[in-house]
Amino acid sequence: MAKDNKKGIFEYSAAPESTGHISIKEQYDLFINNQWVKPQQGKYFDSINPSNENKLASVARANDKDVDKAVKAARKAFPTWAKLPAKERGKYLYRIARIIQEKSREFAVIESMDGGKPIRESRDVDIPLAAAHFFYLGGWADKLEYAFPGQNVEPLGVAGQIIPWNFPLLMAAWKLAPALACGNTVVLKPAETTSLTALKLAEVIQEAELPEGVVNIVTGEGDTGAALVNHPDVNKIAFTGSTDVGKLIQRSIAGTGKKATLELGGKAANIIFEDAAINQAVEGIINGIYFNQGHVCCAGSRLFVQESVVDEVILKLKQRMGNLVLGDPLDKNTDIGAINSKGQLQTIKKYLEIGKKDGLEMFQPKLTIPKKGFWCAPTLFTGAAQSHQIVQEEIFGPVLAVQTFRTIEEVIQKANNTPYGLSAGVWTDKGSKIFNLTSKMRAGVVWANTYNKFDPTSPFGGYKESGYGREGGVHGLEAYLKLS
Ligand code: ADP
């Protein structure tokens, strides 16, 4: 499948439906000042394909000296970038968006190889949305005074941005586009298991001829992220990841004056009323929890079904689960791809054991699991109650826990009874019920008769342990501005 073309670049004729070729370098250095820079200690780590455990590339491991170099580059670039006519900044964002669109097939294939997600999702969701974010935020660059009328708007300075592995390019876009539109410069740290599309984006940034130092990308593990968080010359931290690391970051920056946006975990309620269109609701449940193998912070992992329709819903759900196709992420018919890493598979398996030990009934459809790689069949637990650990804790995998309810008051109380508050879903035929329920849900995003729909115009973010600050929409600009 891969052939070395003697330039250290592997070329893939990866997906059967892919006509263009995919180039992944054998080794990636750090991206600082628009150049590839060797890591100070000369250390690299492997990025592997989780669907077959093959190595895709070596990726540089940045230490605190490398991070310092990147922050210095961003600091040096800041005054010029901030003073550039806002319209010009917008043009750079449009240029990035257009190049992402031109290379969308390549981006989609690399995303699916590096992260394990089905190609249909990277092709139809992740990559187009990443381009859409650059277009949308590019449009705001010269209209900030209209977004915040009567206020003086200034960029914050250097933003340190740390992203997770579940939507690698999309999360990079969520972070970079508003920061750049508002006139900040950036040091971005991708997640260690999925750095490759961020590094491909570095090539796009070179091609778009962004001024040097405006975007710098440092790869590495948690210690690289911590070095960025702790760097004294960073003005803003934007983090998406686990609640545990989010809490660590909050402690590290307390009293430093650094601004922060934290988008953390979730344990969303997906609520099905008896008057819902049941077949559509079943599709919504499937999409809510099994999309991206459940590696979604807003996944609908707690299902609440009104008692009168529970038998029908569970029966249809099990039938639908039996039709899901698990396997090669690069096959366009695949619904369930690979689990992102060995470590994440172990975490998910631990929760499956806990669910069984707690006496819940576990259902998995009979699917053929590939011999190599990291895989978990879509899983359903029935008979769950509020106190069960698999109901309380975020699993970040394709695991759904089902509870029942009788009244709207009961389900609101149960749905809100969680340390998290990122998202929720409601399925009903009655608009009044939607308004009643959504106004009482403690969740940043509530979907009605749909689930997992994202749009750059819509703010996203949580309450409670799901973090604070909003990304997307006008609200997302505020996180990168000093308003006075
Ligand atoms: P998960 O547990 O799901 O892998 P993490 O929150 O650990 O999620 O990872 C999200 C991002 O945060 C990754 O880019 C990771 O490298 C980074 N990270 C991990 N630990 C730290 C830390 N202590 N400080 C800053 N960033 C970190």
Side-chain angles (χ1 to χ4, degrees):
M1 181 164 105
K3 102 174 177 309
D4 188 345
N5 72 357
K6 308 258 183 296
K7 287 186 222 138
I9 296 177
F10 284 82
E11 293 185 352
Y12 293 84
S13 55
E17 68 274 22
S18 162
T19 49
H21 80 247
I22 309 303
S23 68
I24 298 176
K25 286 195 249 174
E26 207 173 333
Q27 180 173 299
Y28 284 95
D29 293 321
L30 306 167
F31 185 70
I32 300 175
N33 270 327
N34 282 13
Q35 282 169 9
W36 297 103
V37 177
K38 297 244 170 276
Q40 195 242 352
Q41 286 180 310
K43 289 192 178 159
Y44 294 82
F45 60 94
D46 292 348
S47 201
I48 65 155
N49 181 335
S51 72
N52 54 24
E53 299 171 62
N54 291 341
K55 179 177 166 181
L56 292 169
S58 296
V59 178
R61 188 189 294 269
N63 67 9
D64 49 357
K65 294 208 173 57
D66 298 309
V67 169
D68 183 54
K69 206 184 270 179
V71 173
K72 284 204 170 92
R75 174 60 60 197
K76 186 155 173 257
F78 173 63
T80 316
W81 180 247
K83 285 199 196 82
L84 203 69
K87 204 170 162 190
E88 296 305 310
R89 283 206 303 272
K91 279 190 204 162
Y92 281 111
L93 270 77
Y94 291 144
R95 216 181 273 172
I96 293 171
R98 279 197 298 270
I99 303 174
I100 292 176
Q101 285 183 324
E102 279 162 23
K103 296 181 189 294
S104 61
R105 183 183 294 275
E106 189 178 11
F107 267 113
V109 173
I110 296 175
E111 199 72 302
S112 284
M113 290 172 81
D114 201 25
K117 67 172 63 199
I119 187 75
R120 225 180 37 227
E121 292 177 10
S122 31
R123 185 194 65 190
D124 298 345
V125 182
D126 293 53
I127 311 306
L129 266 179
H133 269 268
F134 280 103
F135 275 125
Y136 175 73
L137 273 312
W140 272 119
D142 62 350
K143 301 175 193 70
L144 296 176
E145 60 269 41
Y146 299 101
F148 306 100
Q151 300 191 67
N152 186 34
V153 293
E154 275 176 85
L156 298 172
V158 175
Q161 306 187 316
I162 299 166
I163 55 173
W165 43 261
N166 55 345
F167 295 92
L169 183 74
L170 183 57
M171 290 301 108
W174 276 31
K175 296 278 181 282
L176 289 172
L180 300 179
C182 293
N184 302 277
T185 54
V186 172
V187 178
L188 177 85
K189 198 209 79 72
E192 47 272 42
T193 55
T194 55
S195 305
L196 298 190
T197 47
L199 295 163
K200 184 64 56 189
L201 185 62
E203 294 172 13
V204 171
I205 284 160
Q206 282 180 324
E207 197 178 326
E209 295 179 351
L210 230 72
E212 62 180 46
V214 171
V215 173
N216 305 278
I217 301 178
V218 291
T219 42
E221 298 189 353
D223 55 336
T224 309
L228 186 55
V229 169
N230 294 323
H231 196 290
D233 202 27
V234 168
N235 304 97
K236 152 96 192 181
I237 298 295
F239 171 78
T240 299
S242 62
T243 296
D244 286 346
V245 174
K247 286 180 180 170
L248 263 179
I249 291 177
Q250 269 176 299
R251 278 199 286 277
S252 315
I253 62 172
T256 61
K258 287 176 191 167
K259 264 197 151 192
T261 316
L262 304 177
E263 204 266 89
L264 310 176
K267 193 75 191 176
N270 201 1
I271 302 168
I272 317 296
F273 285 98
E274 60 190 2
D275 56 24
I278 297 296
N279 289 344
Q280 284 173 31
V282 167
E283 282 307 305
I285 297 165
I286 295 276
N287 176 45
I289 184 62
Y290 303 127
F291 171 66
N292 201 22
Q293 295 72 250
H295 300 330
V296 184
C297 43
C298 52
S301 51
R302 290 183 300 149
L303 178 65
F304 291 94
V305 187
Q306 200 156 17
E307 229 171 55
S308 49
V309 289
V310 69
D311 290 344
E312 182 188 357
V313 169
I314 299 295
L315 181 71
K316 288 185 167 168
L317 195 51
K318 286 182 176 173
Q319 283 170 347
R320 183 68 185 87
M321 287 168 74
N323 292 332
L324 292 171
V325 177
L326 178 145
D328 184 1
L330 292 180
D331 183 333
K332 65 176 185 273
N333 294 315
T334 294
D335 299 304
I336 311 276
I339 298 301
N340 184 266
S341 67
K342 195 174 187 178
Q344 189 56 27
L345 181 58
Q346 279 163 353
T347 304
I348 297 168
K349 282 188 171 161
K350 179 191 84 181
Y351 279 108
L352 298 188
E353 288 310 311
I354 291 172
K356 284 192 279 186
K357 211 167 92 241
D358 283 347
L360 303 184
E361 196 180 312
M362 184 174 104
F363 169 80
Q364 289 179 327
K366 286 194 175 48
L367 299 170
T368 311
I369 304 283
K371 292 216 165 47
K372 281 184 86 185
F374 316 128
W375 305 93
C376 178
T379 306
L380 184 71
F381 278 108
T382 44
Q386 288 295 97
S387 55
H388 285 124
Q389 206 174 335
I390 62 153
V391 169
Q392 286 297 324
E393 296 177 14
E394 185 180 45
I395 301 172
F396 224 63
V399 183
L400 181 63
V402 190
Q403 294 176 261
T404 58
F405 68 94
R406 287 186 187 157
T407 66
I408 191 162
E409 292 74 27
E410 179 194 351
V411 77
I412 290 170
Q413 193 274 331
K414 281 181 168 168
N416 283 335
N417 181 10
T418 163
Y420 296 107
L422 190 58
S423 58
V426 52
W427 297 80
T428 169
D429 199 26
K430 302 270 180 300
S432 56
K433 227 181 246 177
I434 293 172
F435 287 120
N436 179 13
L437 187 128
T438 50
S439 63
K440 292 175 184 146
M441 293 294 297
R442 295 271 293 143
V445 181
V446 186
W447 286 288
N449 294 328
T450 187
Y451 207 95
N452 273 340
K453 287 279 177 290
F454 307 97
D455 190 281
T457 63
S458 165
F460 187 88
Y463 291 99
K464 303 192 274 185
E465 292 203 8
S466 292
Y468 53 78
R470 294 291 178 265
E471 292 182 294
V474 180
H475 300 73
L477 297 168
E478 211 174 321
Y480 288 97
L481 290 171
K482 205 185 297 165
L483 298 172
S484 54

